[in-house]
mmCIF file of all heavy atoms in Angstrom:
data_model
loop_
_atom_site.group_PDB
_atom_site.id
_atom_site.type_symbol
_atom_site.label_atom_id
_atom_site.label_comp_id
_atom_site.label_asym_id
_atom_site.label_seq_id
_atom_site.Cartn_x
_atom_site.Cartn_y
_atom_site.Cartn_z
ATOM 1 N N TYR A 1 -7.592 19.299 7.794
ATOM 2 C CA TYR A 1 -7.149 19.347 6.396
ATOM 3 C C TYR A 1 -5.746 18.753 6.248
ATOM 4 O O TYR A 1 -5.478 17.963 5.337
ATOM 5 C CB TYR A 1 -7.151 20.790 5.866
ATOM 6 C CG TYR A 1 -8.521 21.421 5.784
ATOM 7 C CD1 TYR A 1 -8.700 22.777 6.056
ATOM 8 C CD2 TYR A 1 -9.644 20.666 5.437
ATOM 9 C CE1 TYR A 1 -9.958 23.371 5.988
ATOM 10 C CE2 TYR A 1 -10.907 21.252 5.359
ATOM 11 C CZ TYR A 1 -11.061 22.597 5.641
ATOM 12 O OH TYR A 1 -12.301 23.171 5.562
ATOM 13 N N VAL A 2 -4.852 19.142 7.153
ATOM 14 C CA VAL A 2 -3.474 18.626 7.109
ATOM 15 C C VAL A 2 -3.466 17.116 7.353
ATOM 16 O O VAL A 2 -2.817 16.353 6.625
ATOM 17 C CB VAL A 2 -2.587 19.346 8.154
ATOM 18 C CG1 VAL A 2 -1.206 18.692 8.222
ATOM 19 C CG2 VAL A 2 -2.466 20.823 7.830
ATOM 20 N N LEU A 3 -4.208 16.675 8.382
ATOM 21 C CA LEU A 3 -4.256 15.242 8.706
ATOM 22 C C LEU A 3 -4.845 14.433 7.559
ATOM 23 O O LEU A 3 -4.339 13.352 7.221
ATOM 24 C CB LEU A 3 -5.085 15.018 9.984
ATOM 25 C CG LEU A 3 -4.443 15.486 11.290
ATOM 26 C CD1 LEU A 3 -5.471 15.497 12.412
ATOM 27 C CD2 LEU A 3 -3.255 14.603 11.667
ATOM 28 N N GLY A 4 -5.902 14.961 6.938
ATOM 29 C CA GLY A 4 -6.529 14.264 5.815
ATOM 30 C C GLY A 4 -5.551 14.036 4.679
ATOM 31 O O GLY A 4 -5.501 12.954 4.086
ATOM 32 N N LEU A 5 -4.749 15.049 4.385
ATOM 33 C CA LEU A 5 -3.752 14.930 3.314
ATOM 34 C C LEU A 5 -2.645 13.941 3.700
ATOM 35 O O LEU A 5 -2.164 13.171 2.859
ATOM 36 C CB LEU A 5 -3.155 16.313 2.996
ATOM 37 C CG LEU A 5 -4.110 17.297 2.315
ATOM 38 C CD1 LEU A 5 -3.466 18.682 2.215
ATOM 39 C CD2 LEU A 5 -4.519 16.796 0.931
ATOM 40 N N ILE A 6 -2.231 13.974 4.973
ATOM 41 C CA ILE A 6 -1.194 13.039 5.445
ATOM 42 C C ILE A 6 -1.687 11.602 5.309
ATOM 43 O O ILE A 6 -1.003 10.729 4.755
ATOM 44 C CB ILE A 6 -0.799 13.334 6.909
ATOM 45 C CG1 ILE A 6 -0.043 14.663 7.012
ATOM 46 C CG2 ILE A 6 0.064 12.196 7.469
ATOM 47 C CD1 ILE A 6 0.213 15.120 8.436
ATOM 48 N N TYR A 7 -2.905 11.342 5.823
ATOM 49 C CA TYR A 7 -3.441 9.975 5.784
ATOM 50 C C TYR A 7 -3.621 9.497 4.340
ATOM 51 O O TYR A 7 -3.266 8.371 3.998
ATOM 52 C CB TYR A 7 -4.802 9.903 6.498
ATOM 53 C CG TYR A 7 -4.781 10.277 7.956
ATOM 54 C CD1 TYR A 7 -5.881 10.902 8.548
ATOM 55 C CD2 TYR A 7 -3.674 9.998 8.753
ATOM 56 C CE1 TYR A 7 -5.872 11.242 9.884
ATOM 57 C CE2 TYR A 7 -3.651 10.338 10.098
ATOM 58 C CZ TYR A 7 -4.761 10.967 10.659
ATOM 59 O OH TYR A 7 -4.748 11.312 11.987
ATOM 60 N N MET A 8 -4.176 10.368 3.510
ATOM 61 C CA MET A 8 -4.432 9.969 2.127
ATOM 62 C C MET A 8 -3.128 9.660 1.401
ATOM 63 O O MET A 8 -3.030 8.656 0.684
ATOM 64 C CB MET A 8 -5.201 11.076 1.401
ATOM 65 C CG MET A 8 -5.768 10.626 0.058
ATOM 66 S SD MET A 8 -6.642 11.915 -0.846
ATOM 67 C CE MET A 8 -8.159 12.040 0.075
ATOM 68 N N THR A 9 -2.116 10.487 1.626
ATOM 69 C CA THR A 9 -0.813 10.269 0.987
ATOM 70 C C THR A 9 -0.186 8.952 1.442
ATOM 71 O O THR A 9 0.315 8.165 0.630
ATOM 72 C CB THR A 9 0.146 11.437 1.295
ATOM 73 O OG1 THR A 9 -0.444 12.661 0.846
ATOM 74 C CG2 THR A 9 1.490 11.242 0.623
ATOM 75 N N LEU A 10 -0.222 8.702 2.751
ATOM 76 C CA LEU A 10 0.359 7.471 3.306
ATOM 77 C C LEU A 10 -0.337 6.227 2.768
ATOM 78 O O LEU A 10 0.311 5.268 2.341
ATOM 79 C CB LEU A 10 0.246 7.492 4.834
ATOM 80 C CG LEU A 10 1.502 7.813 5.642
ATOM 81 C CD1 LEU A 10 1.165 7.903 7.125
ATOM 82 C CD2 LEU A 10 2.582 6.764 5.425
ATOM 83 N N ILE A 11 -1.678 6.244 2.787
ATOM 84 C CA ILE A 11 -2.436 5.064 2.358
ATOM 85 C C ILE A 11 -2.290 4.830 0.857
ATOM 86 O O ILE A 11 -2.059 3.699 0.408
ATOM 87 C CB ILE A 11 -3.928 5.187 2.754
ATOM 88 C CG1 ILE A 11 -4.060 5.271 4.282
ATOM 89 C CG2 ILE A 11 -4.708 3.985 2.237
ATOM 90 C CD1 ILE A 11 -5.471 5.580 4.767
ATOM 91 N N LEU A 12 -2.398 5.909 0.060
ATOM 92 C CA LEU A 12 -2.290 5.755 -1.397
ATOM 93 C C LEU A 12 -0.894 5.296 -1.804
ATOM 94 O O LEU A 12 -0.736 4.467 -2.717
ATOM 95 C CB LEU A 12 -2.656 7.064 -2.105
ATOM 96 C CG LEU A 12 -4.115 7.522 -1.973
ATOM 97 C CD1 LEU A 12 -4.336 8.828 -2.716
ATOM 98 C CD2 LEU A 12 -5.077 6.460 -2.475
ATOM 99 N N SER A 13 0.134 5.820 -1.131
ATOM 100 C CA SER A 13 1.516 5.395 -1.429
ATOM 101 C C SER A 13 1.709 3.921 -1.098
ATOM 102 O O SER A 13 2.339 3.166 -1.859
ATOM 103 C CB SER A 13 2.514 6.234 -0.625
ATOM 104 O OG SER A 13 2.379 7.600 -0.918
ATOM 105 N N SER A 14 1.178 3.503 0.048
ATOM 106 C CA SER A 14 1.289 2.100 0.465
ATOM 107 C C SER A 14 0.535 1.188 -0.496
ATOM 108 O O SER A 14 1.003 0.101 -0.853
ATOM 109 C CB SER A 14 0.741 1.928 1.889
ATOM 110 O OG SER A 14 1.482 2.711 2.810
ATOM 111 N N ALA A 15 -0.666 1.630 -0.917
ATOM 112 C CA ALA A 15 -1.502 0.814 -1.804
ATOM 113 C C ALA A 15 -0.856 0.604 -3.168
ATOM 114 O O ALA A 15 -1.111 -0.401 -3.844
ATOM 115 C CB ALA A 15 -2.881 1.457 -1.964
ATOM 116 N N ARG A 16 0.000 1.539 -3.595
ATOM 117 C CA ARG A 16 0.660 1.414 -4.906
ATOM 118 C C ARG A 16 1.628 0.226 -4.940
ATOM 119 O O ARG A 16 1.843 -0.380 -5.991
ATOM 120 C CB ARG A 16 1.422 2.700 -5.248
ATOM 121 C CG ARG A 16 0.553 3.789 -5.833
ATOM 122 C CD ARG A 16 1.387 4.974 -6.281
ATOM 123 N NE ARG A 16 2.329 4.627 -7.334
ATOM 124 C CZ ARG A 16 2.023 4.528 -8.624
ATOM 125 N NH1 ARG A 16 0.782 4.725 -9.016
ATOM 126 N NH2 ARG A 16 2.946 4.227 -9.520
ATOM 127 N N TYR A 17 2.217 -0.114 -3.773
ATOM 128 C CA TYR A 17 3.211 -1.195 -3.757
ATOM 129 C C TYR A 17 2.584 -2.560 -3.457
ATOM 130 O O TYR A 17 3.025 -3.582 -3.951
ATOM 131 C CB TYR A 17 4.302 -0.895 -2.718
ATOM 132 C CG TYR A 17 5.489 -1.835 -2.826
ATOM 133 C CD1 TYR A 17 6.480 -1.623 -3.789
ATOM 134 C CD2 TYR A 17 5.607 -2.948 -2.004
ATOM 135 C CE1 TYR A 17 7.558 -2.494 -3.911
ATOM 136 C CE2 TYR A 17 6.679 -3.825 -2.121
ATOM 137 C CZ TYR A 17 7.650 -3.589 -3.067
ATOM 138 O OH TYR A 17 8.715 -4.461 -3.193
ATOM 139 N N ILE A 18 1.548 -2.553 -2.632
ATOM 140 C CA ILE A 18 1.008 -3.826 -2.149
ATOM 141 C C ILE A 18 0.284 -4.576 -3.266
ATOM 142 O O ILE A 18 -0.436 -3.993 -4.066
ATOM 143 C CB ILE A 18 0.074 -3.581 -0.933
ATOM 144 C CG1 ILE A 18 -0.160 -4.875 -0.158
ATOM 145 C CG2 ILE A 18 -1.237 -2.938 -1.340
ATOM 146 C CD1 ILE A 18 -0.800 -4.654 1.198
ATOM 147 N N GLU A 19 0.551 -5.873 -3.365
ATOM 148 C CA GLU A 19 -0.146 -6.717 -4.346
ATOM 149 C C GLU A 19 -0.048 -8.170 -3.894
ATOM 150 O O GLU A 19 0.743 -8.517 -3.008
ATOM 151 C CB GLU A 19 0.446 -6.560 -5.743
ATOM 152 C CG GLU A 19 1.863 -7.037 -5.890
ATOM 153 C CD GLU A 19 2.395 -6.913 -7.318
ATOM 154 O OE1 GLU A 19 2.022 -5.951 -8.018
ATOM 155 O OE2 GLU A 19 3.191 -7.766 -7.715
ATOM 156 N N ARG A 20 -0.866 -9.012 -4.503
ATOM 157 C CA ARG A 20 -0.845 -10.435 -4.173
ATOM 158 C C ARG A 20 0.420 -11.098 -4.722
ATOM 159 O O ARG A 20 0.939 -10.672 -5.754
ATOM 160 C CB ARG A 20 -2.061 -11.137 -4.775
ATOM 161 C CG ARG A 20 -3.393 -10.695 -4.193
ATOM 162 C CD ARG A 20 -4.523 -11.351 -4.965
ATOM 163 N NE ARG A 20 -5.819 -10.959 -4.440
ATOM 164 C CZ ARG A 20 -6.876 -10.700 -5.183
ATOM 165 N NH1 ARG A 20 -6.775 -10.759 -6.509
ATOM 166 N NH2 ARG A 20 -8.027 -10.368 -4.641
ATOM 167 N N PRO A 21 0.897 -12.157 -4.071
ATOM 168 C CA PRO A 21 2.042 -12.897 -4.622
ATOM 169 C C PRO A 21 1.590 -13.783 -5.780
ATOM 170 O O PRO A 21 0.387 -14.013 -5.958
ATOM 171 C CB PRO A 21 2.494 -13.750 -3.429
ATOM 172 C CG PRO A 21 1.247 -13.981 -2.643
ATOM 173 C CD PRO A 21 0.427 -12.727 -2.794
ATOM 174 N N PRO A 22 2.532 -14.304 -6.569
ATOM 175 C CA PRO A 22 2.154 -15.234 -7.636
ATOM 176 C C PRO A 22 1.500 -16.489 -7.042
ATOM 177 O O PRO A 22 1.735 -16.837 -5.872
ATOM 178 C CB PRO A 22 3.498 -15.596 -8.290
ATOM 179 C CG PRO A 22 4.463 -14.564 -7.818
ATOM 180 C CD PRO A 22 3.978 -14.072 -6.502
ATOM 181 N N GLU A 23 0.677 -17.153 -7.830
ATOM 182 C CA GLU A 23 0.009 -18.383 -7.389
ATOM 183 C C GLU A 23 1.039 -19.412 -6.937
ATOM 184 O O GLU A 23 2.055 -19.630 -7.583
ATOM 185 C CB GLU A 23 -0.808 -18.954 -8.553
ATOM 186 C CG GLU A 23 -1.837 -19.995 -8.133
ATOM 187 C CD GLU A 23 -2.971 -19.417 -7.318
ATOM 188 O OE1 GLU A 23 -3.376 -18.263 -7.577
ATOM 189 O OE2 GLU A 23 -3.436 -20.112 -6.409
ATOM 190 N N GLY A 24 0.809 -20.022 -5.778
ATOM 191 C CA GLY A 24 1.709 -21.055 -5.269
ATOM 192 C C GLY A 24 3.016 -20.524 -4.717
ATOM 193 O O GLY A 24 3.987 -21.268 -4.573
ATOM 194 N N TYR A 25 3.064 -19.227 -4.379
ATOM 195 C CA TYR A 25 4.303 -18.597 -3.896
ATOM 196 C C TYR A 25 4.824 -19.271 -2.630
ATOM 197 O O TYR A 25 4.063 -19.583 -1.712
ATOM 198 C CB TYR A 25 4.048 -17.113 -3.628
ATOM 199 C CG TYR A 25 5.142 -16.439 -2.827
ATOM 200 C CD1 TYR A 25 6.332 -16.037 -3.433
ATOM 201 C CD2 TYR A 25 4.998 -16.234 -1.453
ATOM 202 C CE1 TYR A 25 7.343 -15.441 -2.706
ATOM 203 C CE2 TYR A 25 6.006 -15.635 -0.711
ATOM 204 C CZ TYR A 25 7.175 -15.239 -1.337
ATOM 205 O OH TYR A 25 8.169 -14.648 -0.596
ATOM 206 N N MET A 26 6.139 -19.484 -2.599
ATOM 207 C CA MET A 26 6.846 -19.941 -1.398
ATOM 208 C C MET A 26 8.039 -19.014 -1.187
ATOM 209 O O MET A 26 8.697 -18.624 -2.159
ATOM 210 C CB MET A 26 7.339 -21.384 -1.568
ATOM 211 C CG MET A 26 6.247 -22.428 -1.386
ATOM 212 S SD MET A 26 5.686 -22.503 0.322
ATOM 213 C CE MET A 26 3.990 -23.019 0.095
ATOM 214 N N PRO A 27 8.332 -18.651 0.074
ATOM 215 C CA PRO A 27 9.444 -17.726 0.319
ATOM 216 C C PRO A 27 10.782 -18.276 -0.128
ATOM 217 O O PRO A 27 11.011 -19.486 -0.094
ATOM 218 C CB PRO A 27 9.405 -17.516 1.847
ATOM 219 C CG PRO A 27 8.528 -18.568 2.387
ATOM 220 C CD PRO A 27 7.641 -19.047 1.302
ATOM 221 N N SER A 28 11.660 -17.388 -0.555
ATOM 222 C CA SER A 28 12.992 -17.763 -1.025
ATOM 223 C C SER A 28 13.771 -18.451 0.098
ATOM 224 O O SER A 28 13.783 -17.990 1.239
ATOM 225 C CB SER A 28 13.741 -16.501 -1.473
ATOM 226 O OG SER A 28 15.053 -16.826 -1.839
#
């Protein structure tokens, strides 16, 4: 139960930030 909550929290938190870059993105 504890591990399930830890994993779910970590993955959901990470998923909130991750997204695709704009089309044609080049690093600064």
